[in-house]
Amino acid sequence: MTLNLDFSGKRVLVVGGAHASRRVLARYLASGATVYHLAGPGPHSPAGQPAPGVHTPVFPRSVGAWDALIGAVDLVALVETTPPTDAVITAACATHRTWLSRETAAATAPIGSVTLVGGGPGLERLLTVGALAALNAADIVYYDRLGPTDRLEEWAPGAEHVDVGKAPGHHAVPQRDAERMMVASALAGRTVVRLKGGDPFVFGRGGEEVLACRAAGVPVTVISGVTSAIAVPAAAGIPVTHREVSHLFTVISGHAPITDSELTHLIGLGGTIVVLMGIGTLQQMAAGLSRLGMRTDMPVAIIERGFAHDQRSTFGRLDTIGELAAHAGVRSPAVVVIGDVVSLAANGDDAAADLLREAATLTA
């Protein structure tokens, strides 16, 4: 059950092995319920140790004992049990009109798993259904600053949340350490989610994390996310392709300076250039493109903090964007778009057009 209700003061009885029931127990505890746990006998996992904060009544050995116990709670969450016990619980719930919820058991393999989840550019509604399902099943979530985290307590209730994010020039947890932490958690039998901004395989170092898991023998899957390379320009009204304007787009990392050879090839390809992590190298890139043959009046846009409440766009031309960015105090995170599609910003929005015209007058 996905818990969106306040269970404060409600009495919830969870039936199932401790290992299989761990996520259900964690979710109901996080929701504010008073939680009781009956851990056996069941068909799969052993009883195990009770979770902190969970009450463990004596397992009923008669129909009457089940009847009395179920009559004293508000909800029974059935994770796993034997068919005869299932029938007794179902009948007692019907008699006392106690809610009965059949919950999915958590993974019980000796080795857990890692799921790399693309959280998109930070807007909650751009999370996929698969991303939310993975978070809901997680025992531990390793997240970074660019992923959507405002409602992480709700999406992964009761899970442990660990910040392994990086900021420009500051890596609180080095990449290799983050990989070791994820692998260690999975080897301990936990279900791990690595929540990343954008898409894990678009400059997200997801490939490195997959290789680290494979090397350790840890099952790993990837849930793709909406990449900021496409979504953030769209938020500013810029399509990265447009009929009779651009039939291709190239996504590059501006984290390190782009070589003249690479810039020459970009110019030769034509189409739209989308630069991620490119604020620090913007001046060098714009100057290089201009020097190597791109026309100086090529429209350029910088979209900062895509989808945030304070999203801001700066429009200019190849020969003015550096000065405009410096004057505006542009900062990361930001997406740079270079190409004629920038002129289509906001579907012909007058304000965007005025900004482009104003930028053109700076060198007139």
Side-chain angles (χ1 to χ4, degrees):
M1 176 184 289
T2 300
L3 301 180
N4 294 317
L5 301 176
D6 182 4
F7 277 73
S8 298
K10 300 298 183 183
R11 297 157 298 174
V12 177
L13 173 65
V14 178
V15 182
H19 198 43
S21 302
R22 65 187 188 276
R23 291 302 305 130
V24 176
L25 292 167
R27 286 196 290 268
Y28 281 109
L29 282 171
S31 75
T34 299
V35 180
Y36 303 87
H37 179 218
L38 293 176
H44 299 120
S45 56
Q49 296 298 315
V54 174
H55 305 278
T56 53
V58 176
F59 194 89
R61 299 297 176 180
S62 68
V63 172
W66 273 112
D67 191 69
L69 179 60
I70 289 175
V73 299
D74 302 296
L75 169 71
V76 176
L78 187 56
V79 179
E80 60 174 11
T81 190
T82 61
T85 301
D86 185 305
V88 171
I89 292 172
T90 301
C93 286
T95 298
H96 292 282
R97 297 185 178 180
T98 299
W99 286 98
L100 174 62
S101 173
R102 297 183 183 276
E103 308 275 356
T104 301
T108 56
I111 295 179
S113 63
V114 172
T115 302
L116 308 184
V117 172
L123 190 67
E124 176 189 339
R125 63 183 172 86
L126 292 182
L127 274 170
T128 65
V129 172
L132 289 172
L135 287 166
N136 190 249
D139 294 315
I140 184 167
V141 179
Y142 293 99
Y143 66 93
D144 63 43
R145 71 186 183 97
L146 295 180
T149 58
D150 289 348
R151 296 175 62 195
L152 195 52
E153 293 287 347
E154 179 180 334
W155 301 327
E160 182 180 353
H161 304 150
V162 181
D163 184 358
V164 293
K166 308 172 186 67
H170 177 65
H171 292 190
V173 180
Q175 177 67 24
R176 294 294 173 260
D177 288 349
E179 292 167 9
R180 283 192 286 269
M181 292 163 65
M182 288 162 31
V183 166
S185 294
L187 290 176
R190 305 179 80 183
T191 300
V192 180
V193 164
R194 172 69 170 103
L195 178 62
K196 309 173 78 70
D199 183 278
F201 281 179
V202 181
F203 306 132
R205 306 190 74 169
E208 298 170 49
E209 294 170 351
V210 166
L211 291 175
C213 291
R214 289 176 180 168
V218 170
V220 58
T221 56
V222 179
I223 297 177
S224 299
V226 176
T227 174
S228 60
I230 299 172
V232 171
I238 302 171
V240 293
T241 65
H242 190 80
R243 189 167 180 261
E244 297 182 354
V245 177
S246 174
H247 69 281
L248 64 89
F249 66 97
T250 306
V251 182
I252 63 173
S253 167
H255 184 69
I258 311 300
T259 67
D260 279 4
S261 175
E262 292 169 330
L263 292 173
T264 299
H265 286 299
L266 284 172
I267 295 170
L269 281 173
T272 306
I273 301 171
V274 180
V275 188
L276 305 184
M277 302 174 289
I279 298 305
T281 56
L282 177 63
Q283 300 276 12
Q284 178 263 343
M285 177 177 293
L289 287 171
S290 178
R291 173 170 47 81
L292 294 168
M294 181 175 282
R295 72 178 205 265
T296 59
D297 65 346
M298 179 68 75
V300 181
I302 305 172
I303 306 100
E304 301 171 77
R305 302 176 296 279
F307 292 102
H309 66 89
D310 57 347
Q311 174 180 314
R312 181 176 68 161
S313 299
T314 300
F315 295 91
R317 309 184 338 172
L318 190 64
D319 56 355
T320 64
I321 194 62
E323 181 181 347
L324 290 169
H327 183 265
V330 168
R331 295 180 179 274
S332 297
V335 175
V336 179
V337 186
I338 304 170
D340 286 314
V341 292
V342 171
S343 298
L344 302 169
N347 297 316
D349 180 85
D350 289 340
D354 289 343
L355 285 168
L356 285 168
R357 283 192 290 271
E358 179 182 343
T361 63
L362 292 178
T363 56

